[in-house]
Amino acid sequence: MTLVAIGACYIDTILTTPHYPGEDEKLRASKISRRRGGNCPNTLEVLGQLLQYGPSNTESSLNLITVLPSKASVASHQIQSSLGNMVRLDSCIYRETFNEPASSYIIASQVTGSRTIVNYNELPEMTCAEFISAVESLHTVTDRPWFHFEGRAPDVTLECIHYIRNHFPRAEISVEVEKPGRPGLQELADEADVVLYSKGWAQYHGYTSAEDCLRDQSLKTSQASLLCCTWGHDGAAALEPKTGNFAHVPAHTEGLGVIDTIGAGDTFNAGLLYGLIYRGQDWDFRKRLGFANLLAGLKVTQEGFANLQ
Ligand code: FRU
């Protein structure tokens, strides 16, 4: 099964601090770490592990389409090696005149577990023409490929989705609706088969719970067969608009402390895509939601994404 994830790739610099600093405060961090980030790369990193140790009959190819700085840059090398051999980067778009990757500076507060992200990205966004040539250059595309979009640059993403619908009529499309206040995400949700909402986006739009978000969104998403929403400490919910099936699961923390919440949503998405794409009918709707929630819960109790399988 071919999975293609399309979204930005970051280098994250994470400062762990005892609490979130006040404006103009001086605060000593207890730790600094650097790692590759980005919603889709994080999701693929987790999926790569699940597939490596999962059922052996999963003929799979995980592909990332992202914009990177020049091929020879230190950052592009770091990014390549961070994704190991489970994720193909052959169809990435290199900006040869840039050396700096998209960067996030993250304050991870120990007292609340919050992660405050400030990012900077000077790499020009992917165009639809670049997306099409990236798709054409994919190593293999199976009969029913899956395309997963981080909802960014909505106009371009919408064009890309139309291209897929025309050229791969059997493809499934999922869209992540995450960034609060980014216009155009509602229109993307309306085009997708599966939509993954974040708590931040839902709250920005006035929803007070995952269920509230999903019930209302089911009236605004004409094609979707599955809608999911994560809600931090309050777990996650899923709704199948076509059958009316609804489920909510409490957050899974196993009583362990919260260590690292960066990428918890990306991990949830990996768990959900794994259930949908690679476990098919073996897992029902509730099992898929439960697994994604369990995986995200495990992730927050450890640093980074390694050894989640
Ligand atoms: C976590 C994350 C980070 C990245 C940022 C981009 O979800 O993907 O790895 O820096 O969000 O918005």
Side-chain angles (χ1 to χ4, degrees), residues 8-14 35-43 102-106 115 117-119 150 152 176 178-179 182 261-267 305:
C9 190
Y10 283 84
I11 296 291
D12 292 348
T13 302
I14 304 159
R35 67 182 190 224
R36 192 242 47 261
N39 297 9
C40 284
N42 291 343
T43 296
S103 304
S104 285
Y105 293 86
I106 304 179
R115 88 296 178 261
I117 305 179
V118 178
N119 50 43
E150 176 194 353
R152 28 185 321 116
E176 185 189 14
E178 190 213 23
K179 299 280 179 306
R182 178 173 286 168
T261 59
I262 303 159
D266 310 335
T267 306
F305 302 95

Side-chain angles (χ1 to χ4, degrees), residues 136-208:
E136 285 171 352
S137 76
L138 286 168
H139 188 65
T140 43
V141 180
T142 46
D143 180 38
R144 302 200 65 187
W146 192 293
F147 289 86
H148 172 69
F149 288 91
E150 176 194 353
R152 28 185 321 116
D155 293 355
V156 173
T157 305
L158 211 53
E159 277 185 74
C160 298
I161 291 179
H162 291 158
Y163 167 81
I164 292 165
R165 293 283 186 220
N166 287 331
H167 289 79
F168 300 92
R170 285 168 59 75
E172 297 273 348
I173 297 180
S174 51
V175 170
E176 185 189 14
V177 169
E178 190 213 23
K179 299 280 179 306
R182 178 173 286 168
L185 294 185
Q186 186 69 68
E187 288 73 10
L188 292 185
D190 190 33
E191 300 280 336
D193 302 305
V194 173
V195 189
L196 302 146
Y197 300 95
S198 75
K199 178 182 176 185
W201 185 88
Q203 285 182 318
Y204 180 86
H205 287 269
Y207 299 121
T208 54

Side-chain angles (χ1 to χ4, degrees), residues 29-214:
S30 57
K31 190 171 172 201
I32 185 166
S33 54
R34 271 194 198 89
R35 67 182 190 224
R36 192 242 47 261
N39 297 9
C40 284
N42 291 343
T43 296
L44 287 175
E45 180 176 348
V46 176
L47 268 169
Q49 289 176 48
L50 295 174
L51 293 180
Q52 197 162 13
Y53 299 103
S56 53
N57 59 352
T58 48
E59 266 295 305
S60 54
S61 103
L62 301 175
N63 303 272
L64 176 65
I65 297 184
T66 192
V67 174
L68 295 175
S70 79
K71 208 165 195 168
S73 64
V74 175
S76 286
H77 283 296
Q78 274 172 353
I79 289 165
Q80 296 259 0
S81 61
S82 74
L83 284 163
N85 53 11
M86 288 299 286
V87 180
R88 302 190 79 105
L89 291 162
D90 320 326
S91 303
C92 286
I93 298 152
Y94 292 94
R95 301 275 180 240
E96 289 302 337
T97 53
F98 292 82
N99 280 315
E100 287 301 314
S103 304
S104 285
Y105 293 86
I106 304 179
I107 295 184
S109 157
Q110 282 174 306
V111 67
T112 61
S114 71
R115 88 296 178 261
T116 304
I117 305 179
V118 178
N119 50 43
Y120 178 71
N121 185 6
E122 60 186 15
L123 298 171
E125 288 281 343
M126 174 188 80
T127 64
C128 185
E130 286 175 324
F131 171 74
I132 294 171
S133 35
V135 170
E136 285 171 352
S137 76
L138 286 168
H139 188 65
T140 43
V141 180
T142 46
D143 180 38
R144 302 200 65 187
W146 192 293
F147 289 86
H148 172 69
F149 288 91
E150 176 194 353
R152 28 185 321 116
D155 293 355
V156 173
T157 305
L158 211 53
E159 277 185 74
C160 298
I161 291 179
H162 291 158
Y163 167 81
I164 292 165
R165 293 283 186 220
N166 287 331
H167 289 79
F168 300 92
R170 285 168 59 75
E172 297 273 348
I173 297 180
S174 51
V175 170
E176 185 189 14
V177 169
E178 190 213 23
K179 299 280 179 306
R182 178 173 286 168
L185 294 185
Q186 186 69 68
E187 288 73 10
L188 292 185
D190 190 33
E191 300 280 336
D193 302 305
V194 173
V195 189
L196 302 146
Y197 300 95
S198 75
K199 178 182 176 185
W201 185 88
Q203 285 182 318
Y204 180 86
H205 287 269
Y207 299 121
T208 54
S209 67
E211 178 167 2
D212 182 24
C213 169
L214 297 184

